[in-house]
Amino acid sequence: MMSVTMGHCMGTKPPSCIILLLLKLFATVSQGLPGTGPLGFHFTHSTYNATVYENSAARTYVNSQSRMGITLIDLSWDIKYRIVSGDEEGFFKAEEVIIADFCFLRIRTKGGNSAILNREIQDNYLLIIKGSVRGEDLEAWTKVNIQVLDMNDLRPLFSPTTYSVTIAESTPLRTSVAQVTATDADIGSNGEFYYYFKNKVDLFSVHPTSGVISLSGRLNYDEKNRYDLEILAVDRGMKLYGNNGVSSTAKLYVHIERINEHAPIIHVVSHTPFSLDKEPTYAVVTVDDLDEGANGEIESLSIVDGDPLEQFFLAKEGKWLNEYKVKERRQVDWESFSYGYNLTIQAKDKGSPQKFSELKTVHIANPRRDNTPVRFEKDVYEVSISEFSPPGVLVAIVKVSPEPLDVEYKLLPGKDSDYFKINPRSGLIVTAQPLNTVKKEVYKLEVSDKEGDAKAQVTIGIEDANDHTPEFQEALYETFVNESVRVGTNVLTVSASDKDKGENGYITYSIASLNLLPFAINQFTGVISTTEELDFESSPETYRFIVRASDWGSPYRHESEVNVTIRVGNVNDNSPLFEKVACQGVISYDFPVGGHITAISAIDIDELELVKYKIISGNELGFFYLNPDSGVLQLKKSLMNSGIKNGNFALRITATDGENFADPMAINISVLHGKVSSKSFSCRETRVAQKLAEKLLIKAKANGKLNLEDGFLDFYSINRQGPHFDKSFPSDVAVKEDMLVGTNILKIKAYDADSGFNGKVLFTISDGNTDSCFNIDMETGQLKVLMPMDREHTDLYVLNITIYDLGKPQKSSWRLLTVNVEDANDNNPVFLQDSYSVSILESSSIGTEIIQVEARDKDLGSNGEVMYSVLTDTHQFIINSSTGIVYIADQLDRESKANYSLKIEARDKAESGQQLFSVVTLKIFLDDVNDCSPAFIPSSYSVKVLEDLPVGTVIAWLETQDPDLGLGGQVRYSLVNDYNGRFEVDKASGAIRLSKELDYEKQQFYNLTVRAKDKGRPVSLSSVSFVEVEVVDVNENLHTPYFPDFAVVGSVKENSRIGTSVLQVTAHDEDSGRDGEIQYSIRDGSGLGRFNIDDESGVITAADSLDRETTASYWLTVYATDRGVVPLYSTIEVYIEVEDVNDNAPLTSEPIYYPVVMENSPKDVSVIQIQAEDPDSGSNEKLTYRITSGNPQNFFAINIKTGLITTTSRKLDREQQAEHFLEVTVTDGGSSPKQSTIWVVVQVLDENDNRPQFPEKVYQIKLPERDRKKRGEPIYRAFAFDKDEGPNAEISYSIVDGNDDGKFFIDPKTGMVSSRKQFTAGSYDILTIKAVDNGRPQKSSTARLHIEWIKKPPPSPIPLTFDEPFYNFTVMESDKVTEIVGVVSVQPANTPLWFDIVGGKHAREMFYILQTACGQNCSTEGGNFDSSFDAEKGVGTIVIAKPLDAEQRSVYNMSVEVTDGTNIAVTQEEIEAQTT
């Protein structure tokens, strides 16, 4: 570890030369960064945050969490810091401290300055700091924001210092009565303080932090009506430092007054007593008072006005309830006060001063007066009935309300009153005569009571009934139709009308037939149309059926019928049919003329015309005659003279009815010599006659069925029979008087043998229904209860049940039905009182009799006997079912339930039917007994208490619940153990206070046992609970850990093992205990994660593998934190240098170099310089370079120190070697040298040092004579090659001699000599051809071409053929020009032949076919791409004519042509060029 020396940043020796090199390199790179000064001269941040405590001593340094300063890009910089602005009072001074590559900015307070920092005056300073380099024009600026931290140098102050409040004597415990307020100008924990009373106070408590004063005891105005309290404020910080001085004092004056706040409030519930009550109750009055104690008790409730005769009094119910009942003191004079009494009542409490309730008026209604006027329940009754309704049908029931016992209803005379009648006792209105005889839609009646005081209107709407039958416009319908009409043809339209309305008058049509008909009718329009094809031959000639017209009325449809006749006309629509077909027979050669051969027969189903027969083919010679009428076939001419010995005749015969022709039939006649059997003809039967007979039979049956329907006409329209009662109709029926209205009694069954409306039966009660208790459903015959029955009033009814049908004329019949009304249990038991109440002690024993209830029933026998039961689900009380005495059945507890409301039932003992009952309420009030111990809420307590709370502070409130009343519910509290007087409890309020100060370090937990005891008599009850008090440690951490230095320096070798110790930092803390225990941690810096620190010892170790070449140094920010409740910490900057180890081999900028050099270059021409670096420090100056491989002929040399590769005196020849592969090894100069190897690929550039060369100096060729051509034809190709490359090897050809007359021309690219001229046999041409390259300077060579023209060989009958139809050759791209690729051979081979590589159509087509297989190496032009190949003219040898490049093109497809002067043959060849 290296110590840190305070001083200026100048002349400091760097740890190693490599650091300086890296820093300079970084400075060079940083010059281009935005926002940086020259050479990267800038502060690490544009703004820093720092802190310093107020009242700090001189030369106190500010603390910052980040490194303040400038990184030394140039270690020679002499940096100076200066405060430019922000320190007008001159509190601060800037200093410079250098450590390694960083110049720290240190700011401290100045010495000898009388002014000190005061946070309350100014808590923040923003300093502008300028950094500059001495002797250089470098400047940097930053801001330092210094926060002045608070010191506890001020005390709390009250404002105001005097308080006064007035509270009521009845104020509840824990009520906040006042609040005092003090302030402390310090901040944070320094500004915290506690409130407490100067002297011990039991009745009040002050919250230590809010200053809220609460009531903690019971106030007694008589004992004391004013309290003078003195409250102190203690600075918590001063207490921590051992000073208990008080900053200020406040006084609170609490005035107690006795206040009767609330007046009694009266609530009234009116009550109408039962006429049989012995002590009738007219109202129930409840009085409430919200005050407590005497102020809330009611002294009296009295009637102050409205009862001059003192006929009423107020009876109090129960001991604890303020409930009163208004009862009568003596018989009330209701006649003098027919409208009742208005009583004025008022209540007063027992408070001081007393308060009276507001006057309350209670109206006592006269139970004997009924002023309700009689009127009908409705002013207008609107009903509707069916038009079919016969006499006696229910129309409406009218009622007046309230209905007097002697009520009488009547119909007032009117134009419609004759059609109806009313039951004067019940108000039942029924029909008096049929309504369908008069066409009227609405009837209006007026009803009234006997006196005529009440009247009402009855509007009766008549519902339209289906009482009209549809009527056809014609009595019958008849029409004619041909059998040939199409399916769907309209044949006839029928039409009917109906006088009813709506659906009753809406008509639909249908065909009423028992048989299937080929007709259908549109149900809405009446149009009759065909549904299938008509056939006169197989169907009836006349259709007679019924069409029915039906309306849509209900309950039945009215229908009428009409006869419809449709006659079908015959049409010739059938062709004749042969009875036999396909006849074959034999006749003899001498068959006589006129002889009967056979007979044919055809049948025409239409039977309109006779059938005629005719031979249509096969009788061209006229040997046969066919009788057109009989169908007999005869021989017309002799066969013997005809010259026919053996023969066959195929006759085709048809039949016709004059219009239609039968399908032709065939007769095959064979002529034979000799005798022939007379039965020699055979035919195939068609069964036509049988089918015709079957059709006629079907037609006859259909006609018979249609005739049967004639007897059904008008079957539904006659009302033949009247309605009849069923045999099951009883003579009498018994009903109970309590049958509910609407209950079914009996269903009357009746029937009518007619159908439709003629058979529809309607039911009515025509007489005997004197009390309107019964009604019968007009449609169903269901007899029901219409009004309640009373057997005591009427016990027998004889009803006339009349039934009607709806036929015309209408028929009816009637029967008498006796209805016996049986008695029912219809009287309920009635209690003698409308309610019962009783009060008992909750300690009353089981079996105690508490009250007797009584009820009576007017019924007789078992219906009048009463039994009692408790309906309420309770186990506490039971009742004697016979006597009505109520007993206690289980233990009572007022605290669980203070009162009971029981429902008592009195039920009769009816043996049949439903038993009747009544229910009364019994209220049972329990008087209190002290039987409950106080119960703590919650059962135990747990509180946390700060150890520095002042004495007298309430730390917990005990709360209990004692449901007992009076003294039994008043609780007093006490402590079983108070830990030597450290705690105390208020007996009345349960407030637990501190009596002595707490000390967390001495004891952290207290377990208090508390007791709650009531004041019950004769025995008091108590319970115990526990209060767990946890003392919370208060922050007494006064001192911050500190390091001796603000920064330290250490070093470690790279590649050191993980866990290697680097250095140790040590901090000190002047606190004791946990507050003085220090933990170390690394929280920031470039080495975060690279190093660990032991949290107890402060030893820093390597946590990762270190590589100096990657990072040469690290900064760490180490925190020292104490273990206080509020931890304090300080930091130190640690600089760690990574020392170098030779662990890297030299590295070059490229793994492979590709330099170029011209061939024939002189000595010492620079080829390339290898640049290598070694990340290890100091190794670059010791690097050495050697060529270790690839230079056997010493074409190259390398400088051992600089790595420069140059040429030697040996000449480079590209044509001999175009590339040289050199292996270069670079070695460092370490003690354990490391080396690396690279490759240098030197490409030798071409120089034009070779001339083009022809393979032959002289070319001699014999060619057949030729005629003049329009276009030049090839003669011979003389090509040359050049060993150079690129432009130096590009060759151009020209004819320089022997072509004076211009007969020849040469392709300058390929060297192909051609001519359009004529050449004759025996002539001779010698040409000099020159080849020139494209180099600089150009080089050339020449060759001579001797051409001898010979006679054309005579035409050969043998065609030329190649030995192979397709040739495949393979060459290497490195093969030289003129090397042979392959030979194509031709048969016959003994004649002169001339070969050429041609393009032309064949070659192009072949190439196109192969293109899909050769990928990118195909060309759409000639296969001999760039004339790379040539065919030797006379022998067919294929040679390379140009250098090949397989990467550019690898496949060649070309055509080779051969000729003998007359014949020509072509073959295809493929040449594949492969890479070497």
Side-chain angles (χ1 to χ4, degrees):
M1 178 174 141
M2 194 172 77
S3 61
V4 176
T5 305
M6 304 285 289
H8 296 300
C9 297
M10 57 183 299
T12 305
K13 184 179 180 180
S16 63
C17 60
I18 189 61
I19 294 179
L20 180 59
L21 179 61
L22 291 175
L23 291 176
K24 288 185 176 181
L25 177 62
F26 177 74
T28 303
V29 174
S30 301
Q31 290 179 357
L33 294 177
T36 61
L39 297 177
F41 184 76
H42 58 85
F43 285 93
T44 55
H45 296 286
S46 60
T47 303
Y48 299 98
N49 292 314
T51 59
V52 64
Y53 280 97
E54 64 176 333
N55 306 323
S56 293
R59 303 186 65 83
T60 300
Y61 287 91
V62 302
N63 183 30
S64 176
Q65 301 304 313
S66 57
R67 286 188 299 153
M68 297 193 301
I70 297 174
T71 302
L72 297 175
I73 303 302
D74 187 344
L75 298 180
S76 64
W77 285 342
D78 182 6
I79 298 178
K80 287 293 184 180
Y81 296 125
R82 183 167 63 88
I83 300 174
V84 177
S85 65
D87 186 23
E88 286 73 13
E89 294 85 356
F91 284 121
F92 303 102
K93 176 177 175 54
E95 294 180 350
E96 309 86 11
V97 177
I98 185 172
I99 296 178
D101 62 346
F102 195 81
C103 185
F104 284 88
L105 167 63
R106 300 275 285 164
I107 299 176
R108 64 173 176 82
T109 56
K110 288 183 178 180
N113 193 343
S114 59
I116 61 174
L117 295 172
N118 189 337
R119 187 201 63 81
E120 287 75 26
I121 297 176
Q122 185 170 347
D123 62 354
N124 185 273
Y125 293 87
L126 181 61
L127 306 182
I128 306 299
I129 308 297
K130 174 185 177 183
S132 59
V133 178
R134 182 179 297 178
E136 297 188 31
D137 187 16
L138 296 178
E139 292 181 350
W141 304 77
T142 190
K143 297 178 182 178
V144 180
N145 185 15
I146 299 177
Q147 185 75 28
V148 181
L149 301 180
D150 184 61
M151 294 290 287
N152 191 18
D153 55 350
L154 296 172
R155 297 180 180 182
L157 295 174
F158 279 103
S159 176
T161 58
T162 303
Y163 301 84
S164 178
V165 294
T166 299
I167 61 175
E169 179 188 26
S170 60
T171 301
L173 291 174
R174 303 189 193 180
T175 301
S176 299
V177 297
Q179 183 176 16
V180 295
T181 305
T183 57
D184 191 325
D186 291 321
I187 61 174
S189 60
N190 295 330
E192 296 175 359
F193 52 88
Y194 286 139
Y195 301 97
Y196 69 95
F197 292 118
K198 181 177 182 180
N199 301 311
K200 184 176 180 180
V201 178
D202 293 330
L203 290 181
F204 299 93
S205 65
V206 59
H207 192 278
T209 57
S210 67
V212 173
I213 288 85
S214 303
L215 185 65
S216 59
R218 298 287 182 183
L219 298 175
N220 190 329
Y221 179 84
D222 298 325
E223 292 181 1
K224 191 172 184 179
N225 58 16
R226 171 175 164 173
Y227 294 88
D228 297 338
L229 307 177
E230 203 168 358
I231 300 111
L232 306 178
V234 175
D235 192 315
R236 293 186 66 188
M238 296 179 68
K239 186 176 181 182
L240 291 176
Y241 286 105
N243 185 351
N244 288 322
V246 176
S247 63
S248 62
T249 303
K251 290 186 177 181
L252 171 63
Y253 302 101
V254 181
H255 302 274
I256 310 301
E257 65 178 1
R258 179 173 290 162
I259 301 176
N260 186 12
E261 289 187 79
H262 304 285
I265 301 173
I266 298 176
H267 304 278
V268 178
V269 177
S270 297
H271 184 265
T272 302
F274 189 65
S275 60
L276 299 180
D277 285 349
K278 293 181 179 180
E279 295 181 358
T281 298
Y282 295 97
V284 178
V285 182
T286 305
V287 184
D288 295 325
D289 194 316
L290 300 179
D291 291 315
E292 293 185 355
N295 293 334
E297 296 179 6
I298 305 301
E299 183 178 274
S300 65
L301 177 67
S302 56
I303 300 173
V304 298
D305 195 9
D307 186 19
L309 302 179
E310 296 183 354
Q311 300 175 91
F312 300 94
F313 74 96
L314 292 162
K316 186 175 183 182
E317 295 291 327
K319 184 177 182 179
W320 303 105
L321 295 177
N322 294 322
E323 183 176 289
Y324 303 81
K325 292 184 178 179
V326 178
K327 295 179 177 288
E328 59 183 26
R329 193 187 303 273
R330 60 180 64 88
Q331 188 69 31
V332 180
D333 182 11
W334 295 112
E335 294 180 1
S336 301
F337 296 89
S338 58
Y339 290 97
Y341 292 83
N342 288 324
L343 305 182
T344 301
I345 58 177
Q346 189 176 39
K348 65 178 177 180
D349 60 21
K350 295 181 180 180
S352 179
Q354 280 188 326
K355 286 198 171 184
F356 293 83
S357 69
E358 295 181 354
L359 296 176
K360 187 77 172 182
T361 300
V362 181
H363 177 70
I364 308 298
N366 184 353
R368 300 177 183 177
R369 179 175 176 82
D370 188 359
N371 297 321
T372 306
V374 175
R375 58 180 297 173
F376 279 93
E377 293 175 347
K378 296 181 181 180
D379 294 332
V380 177
Y381 293 84
E382 293 183 351
V383 296
S384 60
I385 60 175
S386 173
E387 187 180 5
F388 286 144
S389 299
V393 172
L394 185 149
V395 176
I397 299 176
V398 296
K399 290 286 185 183
V400 295
S401 178
E403 188 177 51
L405 296 177
D406 58 347
V407 67
E408 182 178 335
Y409 300 96
K410 60 183 179 179
L411 283 176
L412 298 179
K415 61 180 180 179
D416 297 334
S417 59
D418 294 339
Y419 294 97
F420 304 91
K421 61 183 178 180
I422 190 169
N423 188 317
R425 287 190 293 177
S426 65
L428 174 66
I429 301 175
V430 297
T431 57
Q433 54 182 290
L435 302 178
N436 58 356
T437 58
V438 181
K439 293 303 175 183
K440 193 169 184 179
E441 295 183 358
V442 177
Y443 293 86
K444 292 188 177 181
L445 307 176
E446 188 173 16
V447 295
S448 71
D449 60 356
K450 178 174 63 175
E451 292 80 9
D453 296 334
K455 294 182 180 181
Q457 297 290 330
V458 181
T459 301
I460 305 168
I462 304 301
E463 297 175 349
D464 181 54
N466 189 21
D467 55 351
H468 290 90
T469 303
E471 297 178 0
F472 282 97
Q473 295 179 356
E474 298 181 21
L476 60 88
Y477 291 87
E478 186 172 355
T479 188
F480 175 85
V481 62
N482 281 327
E483 67 169 328
S484 61
V485 297
R486 290 182 297 177
V487 174
T489 300
N490 294 339
V491 176
L492 178 65
T493 300
V494 298
S495 179
S497 60
D498 193 316
K499 297 179 181 179
D500 289 319
K501 297 180 180 179
E503 292 188 349
N504 292 333
Y506 190 77
I507 298 174
T508 57
Y509 302 91
S510 61
I511 294 176
S513 175
L514 300 177
N515 299 300
L516 293 177
L517 298 175
F519 304 100
I521 189 169
N522 186 301
Q523 61 176 339
F524 302 113
T525 63
V527 175
I528 300 174
S529 58
T530 60
T531 59
E532 57 185 72
E533 292 182 353
L534 302 177
D535 187 6
F536 180 85
E537 289 73 25
S538 61
S539 301
E541 298 176 9
T542 300
Y543 291 91
R544 293 185 182 88
F545 54 87
I546 296 170
V547 171
R548 183 174 298 154
S550 303
D551 61 26
W552 283 31
S554 61
Y556 297 103
R557 296 184 175 188
H558 270 304
E559 298 176 338
S560 61
E561 297 175 344
V562 69
N563 273 332
V564 176
T565 302
I566 299 176
R567 290 181 170 77
V568 180
N570 193 7
V571 177
N572 186 13
D573 56 349
N574 290 285
S575 301
L577 298 174
F578 287 102
E579 292 186 69
K580 296 180 180 181
V581 295
C583 296
Q584 294 181 351
V586 179
I587 61 175
S588 63
Y589 180 69
D590 55 355
F591 193 84
V593 175
H596 184 280
I597 300 175
T598 186
I600 59 175
S601 175
I603 296 174
D604 189 352
I605 297 177
D606 292 322
E607 300 179 354
L608 296 175
E609 299 290 341
L610 294 177
V611 177
K612 300 291 184 179
Y613 302 95
K614 180 182 179 182
I615 299 174
I616 58 176
S617 67
N619 193 28
E620 287 77 7
L621 299 178
F623 286 105
F624 303 98
Y625 169 74
L626 178 64
N627 190 309
D629 297 318
S630 65
V632 174
L633 181 65
Q634 298 172 313
L635 185 64
K636 185 178 181 182
K637 291 192 311 183
S638 174
L639 298 173
M640 298 178 61
N641 299 324
S642 64
I644 297 174
K645 296 181 179 180
N646 293 314
N648 290 318
F649 294 93
L651 303 181
R652 295 180 73 247
I653 299 173
T654 186
T656 179
D657 58 8
E659 291 183 22
N660 301 316
F661 289 87
D663 294 334
M665 67 162 289
I667 298 179
N668 292 323
I669 303 172
S670 299
V671 179
L672 297 176
H673 290 278
K675 275 190 174 186
V676 177
S677 173
S678 61
K679 295 182 180 180
S680 58
F681 271 86
S682 63
C683 300
R684 180 168 55 84
E685 296 284 344
T686 61
R687 300 177 66 243
V688 171
Q690 181 181 349
K691 292 178 181 177
L692 176 60
E694 291 173 354
K695 272 194 173 184
L696 295 176
L697 180 60
I698 293 171
K699 182 175 181 178
K701 289 181 178 179
N703 283 326
K705 287 183 179 180
L706 289 175
N707 293 331
L708 291 175
E709 293 189 5
D710 294 341
F712 295 117
L713 183 62
D714 202 22
F715 176 76
Y716 297 98
S717 61
I718 301 174
N719 188 14
R720 292 181 171 84
Q721 302 185 40
H724 298 279
F725 286 96
D726 190 78
K727 294 180 180 179
S728 62
F729 186 89
S731 60
D732 58 70
V733 64
V735 296
K736 285 208 170 184
E737 63 174 324
D738 60 349
M739 266 193 176
L740 299 177
V741 172
T743 303
N744 294 334
I745 299 174
L746 174 69
K747 188 169 185 179
I748 306 298
K749 295 182 180 180
Y751 63 91
D752 191 319
D754 294 317
S755 60
F757 281 93
N758 297 328
K760 174 63 177 177
V761 179
L762 301 180
F763 301 83
T764 183
I765 301 173
S766 59
D767 196 10
N769 194 13
T770 56
D771 294 322
S772 304
C773 294
F774 308 99
N775 180 43
I776 190 168
D777 188 281
M778 184 181 73
E779 298 283 345
T780 64
Q782 182 68 56
L783 183 65
K784 297 183 179 182
V785 178
L786 179 64
M787 290 187 181
M789 295 175 285
D790 187 1
R791 190 198 65 82
E792 289 75 19
H793 182 267
T794 305
D795 61 354
L796 179 69
Y797 296 92
V798 179
L799 305 180
N800 185 330
I801 309 298
T802 304
I803 55 178
Y804 298 87
D805 64 17
L806 292 179
K808 293 183 180 179
Q810 191 174 40
K811 297 185 177 183
S812 65
S813 63
W814 57 271
R815 294 280 294 273
L816 295 178
L817 176 65
T818 301
V819 181
N820 297 304
V821 182
E822 297 180 347
D823 186 45
N825 183 24
D826 56 351
N827 289 290
N828 294 53
V830 178
F831 282 96
L832 300 183
Q833 292 181 218
D834 57 351
S835 64
Y836 295 85
S837 65
V838 65
S839 296
I840 59 174
L841 287 174
E842 64 172 322
S843 58
S844 299
S845 60
I846 297 174
T848 302
E849 177 183 333
I850 59 175
I851 196 171
Q852 182 178 16
V853 298
E854 184 179 358
R856 297 174 183 175
D857 193 322
K858 297 178 181 179
D859 292 323
L860 300 176
S862 59
N863 292 338
E865 295 180 9
V866 179
M867 57 181 178
Y868 303 94
S869 62
V870 179
L871 299 180
T872 305
D873 184 14
T874 178
H875 301 290
Q876 280 73 27
F877 304 96
I878 57 175
I879 190 170
N880 187 301
S881 62
S882 300
T883 64
I885 298 176
V886 180
Y887 299 91
I888 297 174
D890 200 354
Q891 189 65 44
L892 302 177
D893 184 9
R894 188 202 65 81
E895 289 72 29
S896 299
K897 194 169 185 178
N899 54 73
Y900 294 85
S901 179
L902 305 183
K903 297 294 183 182
I904 306 296
E905 179 190 74
R907 181 181 292 271
D908 61 28
K909 296 183 179 180
E911 297 176 353
S912 61
Q914 185 177 5
Q915 294 178 338
L916 300 181
F917 62 91
S918 59
V919 178
V920 72
T921 300
L922 169 60
K923 290 187 177 180
I924 303 174
F925 301 96
L926 303 185
D927 293 337
D928 184 55
V929 174
N930 186 29
D931 57 351
C932 294
S933 301
F936 281 94
I937 302 174
S939 59
S940 62
Y941 300 83
S942 177
V943 296
K944 293 183 178 181
V945 181
L946 294 173
E947 64 172 326
D948 65 338
L949 284 178
V951 173
T953 300
V954 175
I955 63 171
W957 292 87
L958 299 179
E959 185 175 356
T960 56
Q961 182 182 13
D962 192 328
D964 291 322
L965 301 177
L967 294 175
Q970 296 180 12
V971 179
R972 289 291 182 267
Y973 301 94
S974 62
L975 284 176
V976 178
N977 60 329
D978 60 1
Y979 286 90
N980 298 323
R982 196 171 297 279
F983 303 94
E984 64 181 6
V985 65
D986 187 279
K987 294 182 179 180
S989 67
I992 300 177
R993 289 184 171 89
L994 284 177
S995 298
K996 295 181 180 179
E997 291 184 351
L998 302 175
D999 190 348
Y1000 175 84
E1001 283 68 30
K1002 291 181 179 179
Q1003 187 168 350
Q1004 293 82 37
F1005 291 94
Y1006 296 90
N1007 195 1
L1008 305 181
T1009 303
V1010 294
R1011 176 178 285 113
K1013 187 175 183 181
D1014 62 26
K1015 293 182 177 181
R1017 293 291 181 269
V1019 178
S1020 63
L1021 303 176
S1022 64
S1023 60
V1024 174
S1025 181
F1026 301 95
V1027 181
E1028 183 183 84
V1029 181
E1030 179 185 353
V1031 182
V1032 178
D1033 189 17
V1034 174
N1035 182 27
E1036 300 172 293
N1037 191 11
L1038 304 179
H1039 301 94
T1040 303
Y1042 66 92
F1043 288 97
D1045 300 303
F1046 77 93
V1048 295
V1049 175
S1051 64
V1052 62
K1053 288 186 177 295
E1054 66 173 329
N1055 302 328
S1056 295
R1057 289 183 300 174
I1058 295 176
T1060 300
S1061 177
V1062 180
L1063 59 92
Q1064 183 179 14
V1065 294
T1066 303
H1068 305 281
D1069 194 318
E1070 296 178 3
D1071 291 312
S1072 59
R1074 291 177 56 86
D1075 295 335
E1077 297 177 6
I1078 297 176
Q1079 286 182 312
Y1080 299 94
S1081 60
I1082 300 173
R1083 301 189 187 179
D1084 200 0
S1086 60
L1088 191 64
R1090 295 285 189 174
F1091 298 92
N1092 288 333
I1093 189 169
D1094 188 279
D1095 59 352
E1096 294 184 358
S1097 65
V1099 174
I1100 298 174
T1101 57
D1104 199 357
S1105 178
L1106 303 177
D1107 183 12
R1108 192 205 62 80
E1109 289 73 31
T1110 303
T1111 306
S1113 62
Y1114 296 92
W1115 282 97
L1116 303 177
T1117 301
V1118 176
Y1119 281 66
T1121 308
D1122 61 27
R1123 297 177 183 266
V1125 176
V1126 178
L1128 302 177
Y1129 64 89
S1130 62
T1131 62
I1132 187 173
E1133 298 293 331
V1134 179
Y1135 176 81
I1136 299 175
E1137 178 186 352
V1138 181
E1139 297 179 350
D1140 186 49
V1141 174
N1142 187 24
D1143 58 347
N1144 290 282
L1147 297 176
T1148 58
S1149 58
E1150 302 289 341
I1152 302 177
Y1153 292 87
Y1154 295 94
V1156 295
V1157 64
M1158 291 294 296
E1159 64 175 331
N1160 304 317
S1161 293
K1163 182 181 179 183
D1164 296 333
V1165 172
S1166 297
V1167 178
I1168 192 171
Q1169 183 172 11
I1170 306 301
Q1171 294 182 345
E1173 291 184 355
D1174 194 323
D1176 294 322
S1177 61
S1179 297
N1180 288 324
E1181 298 177 358
K1182 301 176 183 179
L1183 298 181
T1184 58
Y1185 303 87
R1186 292 181 297 109
I1187 297 176
T1188 53
S1189 177
N1191 192 29
Q1193 297 177 329
N1194 293 324
F1195 284 113
F1196 304 95
I1198 189 169
N1199 188 303
I1200 193 171
K1201 292 185 177 181
T1202 64
L1204 178 63
I1205 298 176
T1206 59
T1207 58
T1208 64
S1209 58
R1210 301 231 18 193
K1211 299 294 184 182
L1212 295 170
D1213 187 357
R1214 189 200 65 79
E1215 287 74 28
Q1216 293 294 326
Q1217 187 173 352
E1219 285 184 334
H1220 296 265
F1221 294 88
L1222 306 181
E1223 181 184 84
V1224 177
T1225 301
V1226 185
T1227 306
D1228 63 21
S1231 58
S1232 298
K1234 294 184 179 296
Q1235 64 182 23
S1236 59
T1237 301
I1238 59 167
W1239 288 93
V1240 180
V1241 180
V1242 182
Q1243 180 181 1
V1244 181
L1245 300 180
D1246 184 54
E1247 187 179 61
N1248 192 18
D1249 55 351
N1250 291 283
R1251 65 179 67 249
Q1253 295 180 10
F1254 285 99
E1256 303 289 341
K1257 288 295 183 180
V1258 177
Y1259 297 92
Q1260 293 184 346
I1261 186 171
K1262 293 182 179 180
L1263 295 176
E1265 58 185 345
R1266 63 171 66 176
D1267 296 329
R1268 185 180 180 88
K1269 304 292 185 180
K1270 291 184 179 179
R1271 150 176 100 167
E1273 286 190 356
I1275 294 177
Y1276 191 80
R1277 183 182 179 190
F1279 61 87
F1281 61 89
D1282 194 319
K1283 294 180 180 180
D1284 294 320
E1285 64 177 4
N1288 296 332
E1290 293 178 359
I1291 301 174
S1292 298
Y1293 299 93
S1294 62
I1295 302 174
V1296 296
D1297 192 19
N1299 192 28
D1300 297 336
D1301 52 1
K1303 291 189 297 183
F1304 302 93
F1305 56 90
I1306 189 170
D1307 189 310
K1309 296 296 184 183
T1310 63
M1312 176 62 75
V1313 178
S1314 304
S1315 178
R1316 291 190 294 269
K1317 303 297 184 179
Q1318 178 180 4
F1319 298 95
T1320 58
S1323 59
Y1324 198 87
D1325 291 289
I1326 300 176
L1327 303 178
T1328 300
I1329 299 173
K1330 183 179 182 179
V1332 181
D1333 64 23
N1334 199 26
R1336 293 293 180 270
Q1338 287 184 327
K1339 296 182 180 291
S1340 63
S1341 62
T1342 58
R1344 295 177 66 185
L1345 174 60
H1346 292 205
I1347 305 171
E1348 181 182 355
W1349 300 99
I1350 62 175
K1351 281 186 176 291
K1352 282 186 180 180
S1356 173
I1358 303 173
L1360 298 177
T1361 56
F1362 283 94
D1363 291 346
E1364 300 290 340
F1366 192 87
Y1367 291 88
N1368 284 301
F1369 301 113
T1370 302
V1371 296
M1372 305 301 292
E1373 66 174 344
S1374 59
D1375 289 348
K1376 303 299 182 181
V1377 177
T1378 71
E1379 287 191 14
I1380 296 175
V1381 175
V1383 177
V1384 293
S1385 55
V1386 181
Q1387 298 298 330
N1390 54 358
T1391 59
L1393 299 174
W1394 292 273
F1395 295 86
D1396 274 309
I1397 295 177
V1398 297
K1401 180 177 180 181
H1402 296 293
R1404 286 195 297 272
E1405 288 178 352
M1406 174 58 111
F1407 173 72
Y1408 178 75
I1409 293 172
L1410 296 175
Q1411 186 174 8
T1412 57
C1414 61
Q1416 297 179 352
N1417 295 316
C1418 297
S1419 171
T1420 57
E1421 299 184 8
N1424 190 9
F1425 176 76
D1426 202 23
S1427 300
S1428 299
F1429 299 94
D1430 187 42
E1432 293 190 6
K1433 198 74 172 176
V1435 295
T1437 302
I1438 308 300
V1439 297
I1440 299 173
K1442 286 187 176 182
L1444 302 177
D1445 186 351
E1447 286 75 16
Q1448 183 179 2
R1449 185 178 181 87
S1450 62
V1451 177
Y1452 298 85
N1453 291 287
M1454 61 191 71
S1455 300
V1456 178
E1457 181 184 274
V1458 66
T1459 181
D1460 59 2
T1462 303
N1463 300 318
I1464 296 176
V1466 179
T1467 187
Q1468 302 295 325
E1469 71 175 33
E1470 180 184 283
I1471 301 175
E1472 180 182 357
Q1474 297 181 348
T1475 58
T1476 54

